[in-house]
Protein backbone atom coordinates (compact mmCIF):
# COMPACT_ATOMS: atom_id res chain seq x y z
CA UNK A 1 0.00 0.00 0.00
CA UNK A 2 1.52 3.35 -0.93
CA UNK A 3 1.73 5.98 1.78
CA UNK A 4 -0.67 8.54 0.22
CA UNK A 5 -3.35 5.86 0.04
CA UNK A 6 -2.77 4.91 3.70
CA UNK A 7 -3.07 8.59 4.68
CA UNK A 8 -6.60 8.86 3.27
CA UNK A 9 -8.15 5.48 4.01
CA UNK A 10 -8.31 5.87 7.79
CA UNK A 11 -10.27 9.18 7.95
CA UNK A 12 -12.60 7.93 5.21
CA UNK A 13 -13.25 4.71 7.14
CA UNK A 14 -13.90 6.61 10.37
CA UNK A 15 -16.31 9.00 8.60
CA UNK A 16 -18.13 6.06 7.03
CA UNK A 17 -18.50 4.24 10.37
CA UNK A 18 -19.75 7.44 11.99
CA UNK A 19 -22.35 7.86 9.27
CA UNK A 20 -23.58 4.28 9.67
CA UNK A 21 -23.71 4.67 13.47
CA UNK A 22 -25.62 7.94 13.16
CA UNK A 23 -28.08 6.41 10.72
CA UNK A 24 -28.74 3.44 13.00
CA UNK A 25 -28.88 5.71 16.06
CA UNK A 26 -26.06 3.72 17.61
CA UNK A 27 -24.15 6.67 18.97
CA UNK A 28 -24.37 7.37 22.66
CA UNK A 29 -25.72 10.86 23.31
CA UNK A 30 -22.88 11.62 25.65
CA UNK A 31 -23.30 14.50 28.07
CA UNK A 32 -27.05 14.58 27.66
CA UNK A 33 -29.48 13.26 30.21
CA UNK A 34 -32.85 12.19 28.85
CA UNK A 35 -35.75 12.36 31.30
CA UNK A 36 -39.42 11.59 31.53
CA UNK A 37 -41.70 12.52 34.44
CA UNK A 38 -45.07 10.95 35.17
CA UNK A 39 -47.52 10.77 38.03
CA UNK A 40 -47.29 7.35 39.72
CA UNK A 41 -47.42 5.90 43.23
CA UNK A 42 -49.01 9.11 44.50
CA UNK A 43 -46.07 11.27 43.49
CA UNK A 44 -44.12 12.58 40.54
CA UNK A 45 -41.72 9.95 39.28
CA UNK A 46 -38.80 11.05 37.13
CA UNK A 47 -36.67 8.60 35.21
CA UNK A 48 -33.43 9.98 33.78
CA UNK A 49 -31.01 7.98 31.70
CA UNK A 50 -27.61 8.80 30.34
CA UNK A 51 -25.45 7.44 27.55
CA UNK A 52 -27.96 5.74 25.28
CA UNK A 53 -29.40 6.88 21.97
CA UNK A 54 -32.65 8.79 22.21
CA UNK A 55 -34.89 6.12 20.69
CA UNK A 56 -33.53 3.47 23.01
CA UNK A 57 -33.83 5.76 26.04
CA UNK A 58 -37.46 6.57 25.29
CA UNK A 59 -38.31 2.90 24.80
CA UNK A 60 -36.61 1.87 28.03
CA UNK A 61 -38.26 4.63 30.08
CA UNK A 62 -41.67 3.77 28.63
CA UNK A 63 -41.23 0.10 29.60
CA UNK A 64 -40.07 1.06 33.11
CA UNK A 65 -43.10 3.32 33.64
CA UNK A 66 -45.41 0.57 32.40
CA UNK A 67 -43.88 -1.82 34.89
CA UNK A 68 -44.44 0.65 37.74
CA UNK A 69 -48.08 1.10 36.69
CA UNK A 70 -48.58 -2.67 36.60
CA UNK A 71 -47.06 -3.09 40.07
CA UNK A 72 -49.35 -0.38 41.44
CA UNK A 73 -52.27 -2.46 40.20
CA UNK A 74 -51.03 -5.36 42.37
CA UNK A 75 -49.84 -3.50 45.46
CA UNK A 76 -52.03 -0.48 46.20
CA UNK A 77 -54.72 -1.38 48.77
CA UNK A 78 -56.71 1.67 47.61
CA UNK A 79 -57.07 0.30 44.06
CA UNK A 80 -60.38 -1.59 43.63
CA UNK A 81 -58.86 -4.36 41.52
CA UNK A 82 -55.51 -4.78 43.27
CA UNK A 83 -54.46 -8.14 44.67
CA UNK A 84 -53.81 -6.53 48.04
CA UNK A 85 -57.37 -5.18 48.11
CA UNK A 86 -58.77 -8.63 47.28
CA UNK A 87 -56.78 -10.24 50.10
CA UNK A 88 -57.93 -7.53 52.51
CA UNK A 89 -61.55 -8.27 51.57
CA UNK A 90 -61.13 -12.02 52.08
CA UNK A 91 -61.59 -13.95 55.34
CA UNK A 92 -59.27 -13.76 58.32
CA UNK A 93 -57.55 -16.61 60.12
CA UNK A 94 -57.35 -18.84 57.03
CA UNK A 95 -54.61 -19.43 54.49
CA UNK A 96 -55.23 -17.63 51.19
CA UNK A 97 -53.40 -17.99 47.88
CA UNK A 98 -51.05 -15.10 47.04
CA UNK A 99 -49.03 -14.38 43.90
CA UNK A 100 -45.30 -14.93 44.03
CA UNK A 101 -44.71 -11.25 43.27
CA UNK A 102 -46.75 -10.07 46.25
CA UNK A 103 -45.41 -12.88 48.45
CA UNK A 104 -41.81 -11.76 47.82
CA UNK A 105 -42.63 -8.25 48.98
CA UNK A 106 -44.53 -9.47 52.04
CA UNK A 107 -41.56 -11.70 52.84
CA UNK A 108 -39.27 -8.68 52.72
CA UNK A 109 -41.70 -6.76 54.93
CA UNK A 110 -41.76 -9.61 57.45
CA UNK A 111 -37.97 -9.50 57.55
CA UNK A 112 -38.12 -5.82 58.55
CA UNK A 113 -40.81 -6.66 61.14
CA UNK A 114 -38.48 -9.21 62.67
CA UNK A 115 -35.45 -6.89 62.56
CA UNK A 116 -37.43 -4.07 64.19
CA UNK A 117 -39.21 -6.31 66.74
CA UNK A 118 -42.58 -5.20 65.42
CA UNK A 119 -41.99 -1.44 65.04
CA UNK A 120 -42.56 -2.09 61.35
CA UNK A 121 -45.53 -4.10 60.11
CA UNK A 122 -47.13 -4.74 56.71
CA UNK A 123 -50.41 -5.56 58.50
CA UNK A 124 -51.40 -2.05 59.59
CA UNK A 125 -54.01 -1.21 56.94
CA UNK A 126 -56.99 -0.90 59.35
CA UNK A 127 -54.93 1.52 61.46
CA UNK A 128 -53.63 3.52 58.48
CA UNK A 129 -57.21 3.68 57.13
CA UNK A 130 -58.41 4.92 60.54
CA UNK A 131 -55.85 7.73 60.46
CA UNK A 132 -56.70 8.37 56.81
CA UNK A 133 -53.46 10.01 55.67
CA UNK A 134 -53.68 8.48 52.21
CA UNK A 135 -57.42 8.99 51.81
CA UNK A 136 -58.94 11.50 49.39
CA UNK A 137 -60.30 13.49 52.32
CA UNK A 138 -57.57 13.45 54.95
CA UNK A 139 -58.46 14.09 58.58
CA UNK A 140 -57.74 17.33 60.33
CA UNK A 141 -57.97 15.85 63.81
CA UNK A 142 -57.03 12.46 65.34
CA UNK A 143 -59.54 9.58 65.30
CA UNK A 144 -61.47 8.94 68.54
CA UNK A 145 -59.10 7.43 71.16
CA UNK A 146 -61.58 4.59 71.82
CA UNK A 147 -61.21 3.41 68.21
CA UNK A 148 -57.45 3.36 68.47
CA UNK A 149 -57.66 1.51 71.80
CA UNK A 150 -59.99 -1.10 70.25
CA UNK A 151 -57.60 -1.64 67.34
CA UNK A 152 -54.65 -1.92 69.72
CA UNK A 153 -56.38 -4.50 71.92
CA UNK A 154 -57.08 -6.71 68.90
CA UNK A 155 -53.80 -6.34 67.00
CA UNK A 156 -51.77 -9.57 67.18
CA UNK A 157 -48.38 -7.79 66.74
CA UNK A 158 -45.75 -10.23 65.42
CA UNK A 159 -48.43 -12.78 64.46
CA UNK A 160 -50.43 -10.28 62.36
CA UNK A 161 -49.34 -11.50 58.90
CA UNK A 162 -48.02 -14.97 58.17
CA UNK A 163 -46.66 -16.34 54.91
CA UNK A 164 -45.83 -19.86 53.80
CA UNK A 165 -44.65 -21.65 50.70
CA UNK A 166 -46.28 -24.99 49.96
CA UNK A 167 -44.46 -28.05 48.65
CA UNK A 168 -45.82 -27.25 45.17
CA UNK A 169 -44.04 -23.87 45.33
CA UNK A 170 -47.24 -21.81 45.68
CA UNK A 171 -47.42 -19.13 48.37
CA UNK A 172 -50.17 -18.62 50.92
CA UNK A 173 -50.84 -15.77 53.29
CA UNK A 174 -52.82 -15.53 56.53
CA UNK A 175 -54.11 -12.35 58.12
CA UNK A 176 -54.76 -13.18 61.74
CA UNK A 177 -57.95 -11.23 62.50
CA UNK A 178 -60.01 -8.18 61.52
CA UNK A 179 -57.52 -5.73 63.03
CA UNK A 180 -55.04 -6.84 60.34
CA UNK A 181 -54.93 -5.79 56.66
CA UNK A 182 -52.11 -5.50 54.16
CA UNK A 183 -50.57 -2.04 53.69
CA UNK A 184 -47.32 -2.17 51.76
CA UNK A 185 -46.99 1.62 51.60
CA UNK A 186 -43.63 1.56 53.38
CA UNK A 187 -41.93 -0.86 50.98
CA UNK A 188 -43.91 -0.73 47.73
CA UNK A 189 -42.24 2.35 46.33
CA UNK A 190 -38.76 0.89 46.82
CA UNK A 191 -39.88 -2.40 45.27
CA UNK A 192 -41.29 -0.61 42.22
CA UNK A 193 -38.05 1.39 41.87
CA UNK A 194 -35.92 -1.78 42.06
CA UNK A 195 -38.06 -3.52 39.46
CA UNK A 196 -38.08 -0.50 37.15
CA UNK A 197 -34.28 -0.27 37.38
CA UNK A 198 -34.12 -3.95 36.38
CA UNK A 199 -36.30 -3.15 33.35
CA UNK A 200 -33.93 -0.33 32.33
CA UNK A 201 -30.95 -2.67 32.69
CA UNK A 202 -32.64 -5.32 30.53
CA UNK A 203 -33.06 -2.59 27.91
CA UNK A 204 -29.33 -1.94 27.97
CA UNK A 205 -29.38 1.21 30.12
CA UNK A 206 -26.40 1.25 32.48
CA UNK A 207 -26.63 4.83 33.78
CA UNK A 208 -29.89 6.04 35.25
CA UNK A 209 -31.77 7.46 38.19
CA UNK A 210 -35.37 6.83 39.18
CA UNK A 211 -36.60 9.47 41.60
CA UNK A 212 -40.07 9.05 43.10
CA UNK A 213 -40.63 12.21 45.13
CA UNK A 214 -37.21 12.08 46.79
CA UNK A 215 -37.08 8.29 47.12
CA UNK A 216 -34.64 7.07 44.53
CA UNK A 217 -32.07 4.68 43.19
CA UNK A 218 -29.19 5.37 40.85
CA UNK A 219 -27.09 3.11 38.64
CA UNK A 220 -23.86 4.18 36.97
CA UNK A 221 -23.20 7.89 36.58
CA UNK A 222 -23.82 10.90 34.40
CA UNK A 223 -20.66 10.42 32.38
CA UNK A 224 -17.82 11.75 34.50
CA UNK A 225 -20.31 13.26 36.95
CA UNK A 226 -22.12 11.48 39.78
CA UNK A 227 -25.89 11.82 40.19
CA UNK A 228 -26.66 14.75 42.49
CA UNK A 229 -29.40 14.24 45.09
CA UNK A 230 -30.90 16.89 47.38
CA UNK A 231 -32.38 16.17 50.80
CA UNK A 232 -35.37 18.23 51.94
CA UNK A 233 -35.30 20.31 55.09
CA UNK A 234 -38.00 18.62 57.24
CA UNK A 235 -39.33 21.98 58.43
CA UNK A 236 -38.95 23.83 55.12
CA UNK A 237 -39.51 21.04 52.59
CA UNK A 238 -39.18 23.46 49.67
CA UNK A 239 -35.51 23.89 50.62
CA UNK A 240 -32.76 21.33 50.65
CA UNK A 241 -30.26 20.90 53.50
CA UNK A 242 -27.73 18.69 51.84
CA UNK A 243 -26.67 17.03 48.66
CA UNK A 244 -25.43 13.52 48.09
CA UNK A 245 -23.26 12.75 45.10
CA UNK A 246 -24.10 9.16 44.23
CA UNK A 247 -22.70 6.82 41.59
CA UNK A 248 -22.66 3.07 41.08
CA UNK A 249 -25.57 1.15 42.50
CA UNK A 250 -27.10 3.11 45.38
CA UNK A 251 -30.62 3.73 46.60
CA UNK A 252 -31.67 6.44 49.04
CA UNK A 253 -35.07 6.41 50.70
CA UNK A 254 -36.45 8.94 53.16
CA UNK A 255 -39.24 8.75 55.74
CA UNK A 256 -40.31 12.09 57.17
CA UNK A 257 -42.99 13.58 59.40
CA UNK A 258 -43.45 16.39 56.86
CA UNK A 259 -44.64 14.18 53.99
CA UNK A 260 -48.24 13.64 55.11
CA UNK A 261 -49.45 15.27 58.32
CA UNK A 262 -51.90 17.64 59.99
CA UNK A 263 -51.50 19.91 63.00
CA UNK A 264 -54.20 19.63 65.68
CA UNK A 265 -54.16 21.80 68.80
CA UNK A 266 -50.55 22.68 68.11
CA UNK A 267 -49.41 19.08 67.75
CA UNK A 268 -48.15 17.41 64.57
CA UNK A 269 -49.80 14.11 63.57
CA UNK A 270 -48.02 12.33 60.70
CA UNK A 271 -48.38 9.17 58.61
CA UNK A 272 -45.70 6.94 60.18
CA UNK A 273 -47.52 5.00 62.87
CA UNK A 274 -46.21 3.15 65.87
CA UNK A 275 -47.92 -0.28 66.09
CA UNK A 276 -47.24 -0.34 69.84
CA UNK A 277 -49.30 2.82 70.56
CA UNK A 278 -51.56 3.12 67.49
CA UNK A 279 -50.47 6.78 67.21
CA UNK A 280 -47.93 8.52 64.95
CA UNK A 281 -44.41 7.56 66.04
CA UNK A 282 -42.90 9.92 68.56
CA UNK A 283 -39.28 8.91 68.54
CA UNK A 284 -37.94 12.46 68.46
CA UNK A 285 -37.14 12.36 64.72
CA UNK A 286 -38.39 14.44 61.82
CA UNK A 287 -36.56 12.67 58.99
CA UNK A 288 -34.74 9.40 58.36
CA UNK A 289 -32.82 8.70 55.15
CA UNK A 290 -31.25 5.35 54.43
CA UNK A 291 -28.76 4.55 51.69
CA UNK A 292 -28.07 1.01 50.48
CA UNK A 293 -28.17 -1.23 47.45
CA UNK A 294 -31.70 -2.54 47.59
CA UNK A 295 -34.39 0.16 47.49
CA UNK A 296 -37.16 -2.16 48.74
CA UNK A 297 -35.32 -3.19 51.88
CA UNK A 298 -34.01 0.26 52.80
CA UNK A 299 -37.48 1.67 52.11
CA UNK A 300 -38.75 -0.52 54.93
CA UNK A 301 -35.70 0.17 57.05
CA UNK A 302 -36.21 3.96 56.90
CA UNK A 303 -39.77 3.58 58.22
CA UNK A 304 -38.61 1.17 60.94
CA UNK A 305 -35.82 3.53 62.03
CA UNK A 306 -38.27 6.42 62.12
CA UNK A 307 -40.54 4.50 64.51
CA UNK A 308 -37.70 3.25 66.71
CA UNK A 309 -35.70 6.49 66.96
CA UNK A 310 -31.94 6.98 66.92
CA UNK A 311 -30.89 4.86 69.90
CA UNK A 312 -32.90 1.74 69.12
CA UNK A 313 -32.94 2.21 65.34
CA UNK A 314 -29.29 2.71 64.40
CA UNK A 315 -28.24 -0.82 65.51
CA UNK A 316 -30.59 -2.24 62.83
CA UNK A 317 -28.16 -1.09 60.14
CA UNK A 318 -25.71 -3.82 61.18
CA UNK A 319 -28.20 -6.45 60.01
CA UNK A 320 -28.36 -5.03 56.48
CA UNK A 321 -24.88 -4.99 54.96
CA UNK A 322 -24.08 -1.77 53.11
CA UNK A 323 -26.92 0.24 54.68
CA UNK A 324 -26.19 3.72 56.06
CA UNK A 325 -28.52 6.21 57.71
CA UNK A 326 -28.92 9.90 58.35
CA UNK A 327 -31.37 10.99 61.05
CA UNK A 328 -32.60 14.54 61.68
CA UNK A 329 -34.25 15.10 65.05
CA UNK A 330 -37.02 17.53 66.00
CA UNK A 331 -34.44 20.26 66.79
CA UNK A 332 -32.72 19.83 63.44
CA UNK A 333 -29.74 17.96 64.99
CA UNK A 334 -28.26 15.26 62.79
CA UNK A 335 -26.96 11.80 63.54
CA UNK A 336 -25.41 9.81 60.73
CA UNK A 337 -23.61 6.53 60.25
CA UNK A 338 -20.04 6.69 59.00
CA UNK A 339 -20.59 5.69 55.39
CA UNK A 340 -23.62 7.88 54.61
CA UNK A 341 -22.72 9.92 51.51
CA UNK A 342 -23.66 13.56 52.12
CA UNK A 343 -22.37 17.14 51.81
CA UNK A 344 -24.09 19.69 54.02
CA UNK A 345 -25.07 22.98 52.47
CA UNK A 346 -24.52 26.31 54.22
CA UNK A 347 -27.73 27.30 56.04
P1 LIG B 1 -42.65 5.67 54.32
O1 LIG B 1 -43.06 6.99 53.76
O2 LIG B 1 -41.80 4.83 53.43
O3 LIG B 1 -42.09 5.78 55.69
O4 LIG B 1 -43.99 4.80 54.46
C1 LIG B 1 -45.08 5.27 55.16
C2 LIG B 1 -46.32 4.47 54.80
O5 LIG B 1 -46.17 3.14 55.29
C3 LIG B 1 -47.57 5.01 55.44
O6 LIG B 1 -48.25 5.89 54.58
C4 LIG B 1 -48.37 3.75 55.72
O7 LIG B 1 -49.06 3.34 54.55
C5 LIG B 1 -47.32 2.73 56.03
N1 LIG B 1 -46.90 2.69 57.44
C6 LIG B 1 -47.10 3.62 58.43
N2 LIG B 1 -46.54 3.23 59.59
C7 LIG B 1 -45.95 2.03 59.34
C8 LIG B 1 -45.22 1.10 60.14
N3 LIG B 1 -44.96 1.30 61.43
N4 LIG B 1 -44.79 -0.04 59.52
C9 LIG B 1 -45.05 -0.30 58.23
N5 LIG B 1 -45.73 0.53 57.44
C10 LIG B 1 -46.18 1.68 57.96
MG1 LIG C 1 -40.36 3.30 54.06
Amino acid sequence: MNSTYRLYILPVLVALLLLIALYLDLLPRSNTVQSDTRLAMGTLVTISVWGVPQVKAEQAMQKAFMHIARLEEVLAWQRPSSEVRKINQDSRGTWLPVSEELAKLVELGLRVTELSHGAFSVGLQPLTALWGFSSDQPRSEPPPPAMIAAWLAAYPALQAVQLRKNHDGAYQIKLQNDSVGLDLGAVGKGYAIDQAIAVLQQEGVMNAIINAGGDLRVIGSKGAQPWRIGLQNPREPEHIVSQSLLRGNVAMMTSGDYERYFIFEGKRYHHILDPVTGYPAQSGLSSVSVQGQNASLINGLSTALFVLGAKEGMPLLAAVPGSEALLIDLDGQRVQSKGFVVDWLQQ
Side-chain angles (χ1 to χ4, degrees), residues 244-258:
S244 297
L245 301 177
L246 304 178
R247 65 166 80 233
N249 180 21
V250 193
M252 178 165 145
M253 309 293 291
T254 299
S255 292
D257 68 358
Y258 55 93

Side-chain angles (χ1 to χ4, degrees), residues 14 39 55 86 94 220 259 278 306 343:
V14 169
L39 194 63
V55 178
K86 284 190 189 113
T94 56
E259 294 175 312
F306 193 101
D343 295 318

Side-chain angles (χ1 to χ4, degrees), residues 119-121 124 128 183 185-186 255 259-260 271 273 275 299 303 307:
F120 179 96
S121 172
L124 296 182
T128 53
D183 176 350
S255 292
E259 294 175 312
R260 270 174 276 159
H271 73 304
L273 305 173
N299 195 185
T303 309
V307 176

Side-chain angles (χ1 to χ4, degrees), residues 5-266:
Y5 194 52
R6 219 183 298 144
L7 206 68
Y8 286 117
I9 195 143
L10 198 64
V12 168
L13 248 180
V14 169
L16 202 68
L17 282 175
L18 270 173
L19 264 177
I20 293 172
L22 252 180
Y23 180 69
L24 294 176
D25 209 3
L26 291 176
L27 284 183
R29 302 283 162 95
S30 51
N31 304 327
T32 57
V33 174
Q34 292 165 78
S35 296
D36 192 354
T37 298
R38 299 191 194 172
L39 194 63
M41 304 186 285
T43 187
L44 283 177
V45 179
T46 299
I47 303 183
S48 306
V49 308
W50 184 91
V52 278
Q54 191 179 349
V55 178
K56 203 169 172 183
E58 280 167 7
Q59 234 174 43
M61 290 191 285
Q62 166 71 5
K63 282 194 178 167
F65 274 121
M66 276 167 62
H67 199 86
I68 291 173
R70 195 187 61 73
L71 271 179
E72 251 190 307
E73 276 304 318
V74 176
L75 302 178
W77 65 262
Q78 299 91 339
R79 297 266 172 124
S81 58
S82 76
E83 186 182 356
V84 165
R85 172 81 155 240
K86 284 190 189 113
I87 288 173
N88 283 347
Q89 285 171 341
D90 217 318
S91 28
R92 298 298 189 267
T94 56
W95 289 102
L96 305 167
V98 58
S99 71
E100 179 166 355
E101 185 157 52
L102 182 52
K104 291 279 176 207
L105 186 55
V106 169
E107 198 168 36
L108 184 136
L110 292 176
R111 190 171 154 208
V112 183
T113 303
E114 203 177 303
L115 281 178
S116 66
H117 307 290
F120 179 96
S121 172
V122 289
L124 296 182
Q125 188 270 335
L127 183 67
T128 53
L130 186 59
W131 280 93
F133 287 104
S134 32
S135 108
D136 290 339
Q137 287 145 344
R139 284 180 170 276
S140 49
E141 58 182 88
M147 290 181 82
I148 294 173
W151 175 84
L152 207 54
Y155 193 64
L158 295 177
Q159 301 305 312
V161 178
Q162 287 165 279
L163 187 74
R164 74 179 183 196
K165 193 176 182 181
N166 289 340
H167 36 266
D168 61 358
Y171 287 90
Q172 289 184 312
I173 193 167
K174 182 158 84 175
L175 310 184
Q176 200 62 31
N177 62 31
D178 285 339
S179 71
V180 183
L182 282 182
D183 176 350
L184 297 159
V187 281
K189 211 195 256 182
Y191 190 61
I193 290 176
D194 279 338
Q195 300 260 313
I197 287 278
V199 170
L200 293 180
Q201 286 170 326
Q202 278 155 22
E203 293 297 307
V205 175
M206 294 305 154
N207 303 282
I209 176 169
I210 301 184
N211 188 339
D215 291 323
L216 54 99
R217 179 168 156 197
V218 310
I219 50 168
S221 60
K222 228 168 21 176
Q225 301 297 318
W227 298 102
R228 189 192 301 261
I229 315 301
L231 178 65
Q232 282 172 287
N233 178 336
R235 290 298 168 262
E236 291 169 34
E238 61 287 0
H239 293 123
I240 62 166
V241 281
S242 70
Q243 67 171 10
S244 297
L245 301 177
L246 304 178
R247 65 166 80 233
N249 180 21
V250 193
M252 178 165 145
M253 309 293 291
T254 299
S255 292
D257 68 358
Y258 55 93
E259 294 175 312
R260 270 174 276 159
Y261 70 96
F262 60 81
I263 307 273
F264 179 68
E265 294 183 343

